[in-house]
Amino acid sequence: KCIIDARNIVKIYQNGSEKLKVLDDVSMQILEGDFIVILGPSGSGKSTLMNLLGCLDLPTSGQYYLDGLDVLKAKDNQLAEIRNQKIGFVFQKFNLLPRLTAIQNVMLPLLYRGAKEEEAKESAKEKLKLLGLGERLNHRPNELSGGQQQRVAIARAIVGNPHLVLADEPTGNLDSKSSKDAMEIFKELNRQGNTIVIITHDIEVAEQVKKVIYIRDGRIYDKN
Ligand code: ADP
Ligand code: ADP
């Protein structure tokens, strides 16, 4: 089953009279259960692509079907719903809320969807335990190491059983040990059936997976 079906995506930014084509004829199909790394240098269009794949922005032209849904035909409130229900986001800077504890951060997506407090708490606890943070449930982000914060962020991304986990430079702020640990977690989540897409400039991250999509100057290219 195809989770991501992007065809001939073009993204043009307009700065005054200047037009900048940041993505040029990008097509990709990502299947349920895939573990994909999208690798490219700085400025190649990765963040732009992440925003499009994550339904945070729309392409200038092309087609994008997420889980069979025609994203370009969706209204803004439908896009928010697609993001909330189908995608778990992981960011380089973790993006945890500093005043909330680990478990409260992980509960948020469920509460946002209307889950009951107790159910949300149980699910959040289960995911945090799964990621080795059973002893850190009531710690705030500043009481956790970078690697632990990223694990909280991963727990938050998967707590709603999304169809797709989309990670933007998830190891970018981690030391090499925590970075390896985070990759092991993504591998394990993938073995459990999660579809994972990591966007990165880090070749070491790409070396750990079988399927790599290379992007350069806004175009996908084949390394072989
Ligand atoms: P990467 O994540 O690979 O570094 P980006 O997608 O952030 O690449 O950027 C690709 C190119 O698009 C860069 O030249 C960047 O300056 C430009 N760009 C990104 N966002 C905008 C924007 N909102 N308006 C104009 N240009 C942008
Ligand atoms: P950067 O790669 O520049 O550090 P981030 O990875 O933090 O940026 O964010 C990538 C994009 O996702 C940004 O456009 C940001 O506004 C958006 N974003 C950040 N947090 C969330 C969130 N929790 N839900 C949806 N979109 C988000």
Side-chain angles (χ1 to χ4, degrees):
K1 192 165 158 245
C2 208
I3 299 266
I4 284 181
D5 185 359
R7 298 185 195 175
N8 313 108
I9 298 278
V10 172
K11 181 68 181 180
I12 296 171
Y13 288 121
Q14 180 118 32
N15 285 335
S17 61
E18 214 181 324
K19 281 187 180 172
L20 187 61
K21 194 188 272 187
V22 174
L23 293 178
D24 187 6
D25 200 23
V26 167
S27 297
M28 60 178 69
Q29 278 78 40
I30 293 176
L31 304 179
E32 190 165 32
D34 269 348
F35 189 174
I36 303 268
V37 167
I38 300 176
L39 179 71
S42 175
S44 57
K46 295 188 303 297
S47 293
T48 301
L49 181 60
M50 155 98 180
N51 288 342
L52 297 179
L53 295 179
C55 302
L56 296 158
D57 195 6
L58 293 172
T60 308
S61 66
Q63 289 160 316
Y64 180 30
Y65 299 90
L66 177 66
D67 221 5
L69 267 161
D70 189 343
V71 173
L72 274 82
K73 293 220 169 79
K75 304 204 168 58
D76 279 355
N77 60 331
Q78 289 173 311
L79 287 179
E81 200 175 299
I82 293 172
R83 278 203 298 276
N84 193 31
Q85 308 219 331
K86 297 192 181 286
I87 307 174
F89 290 95
V90 178
F91 299 100
Q92 177 172 0
K93 290 169 194 151
F94 320 138
N95 292 12
L96 299 173
L97 293 181
R99 301 172 74 120
L100 299 185
T101 63
I103 194 164
Q104 287 170 333
N105 267 286
V106 178
M107 286 164 69
L108 272 187
L110 297 176
L111 296 177
Y112 191 59
R113 277 191 208 179
K116 294 207 178 68
E117 175 99 13
E118 276 314 305
E119 286 169 26
K121 197 175 252 176
E122 272 317 300
S123 307
K125 199 191 226 175
E126 184 193 315
K127 295 301 185 208
L128 284 166
K129 279 184 177 166
L130 180 76
L131 297 186
L133 291 169
E135 310 297 314
R136 296 285 184 278
L137 301 180
N138 298 311
H139 286 58
R140 291 202 167 74
N142 68 2
E143 300 167 318
L144 300 170
S145 70
Q148 289 170 338
Q149 290 181 55
Q150 190 58 300
R151 278 186 277 152
V152 175
I154 294 171
R156 179 183 59 186
I158 61 169
V159 74
N161 299 316
H163 295 212
L164 171 69
V165 176
L166 202 49
D168 186 12
E169 299 283 4
T171 61
N173 275 343
L174 301 179
D175 58 60
S176 57
K177 165 81 169 64
S178 303
S179 175
K180 282 205 184 76
D181 291 347
M183 284 305 290
E184 285 309 316
I185 288 167
F186 284 121
K187 285 181 198 170
E188 178 56 28
L189 293 173
N190 179 248
R191 280 191 287 270
Q192 292 173 13
N194 289 284
T195 308
I196 308 225
V197 176
I198 295 178
I199 300 183
T200 186
H201 70 274
D202 188 344
I203 291 163
E204 281 180 37
V205 168
E207 280 169 352
Q208 298 186 48
V209 306
K210 291 196 198 88
K211 296 187 189 175
V212 180
I213 293 173
Y214 299 89
I215 181 169
R216 189 176 193 120
D217 298 331
R219 296 183 74 98
I220 302 288
Y221 68 97
D222 195 346
K223 221 186 168 201
N224 306 308

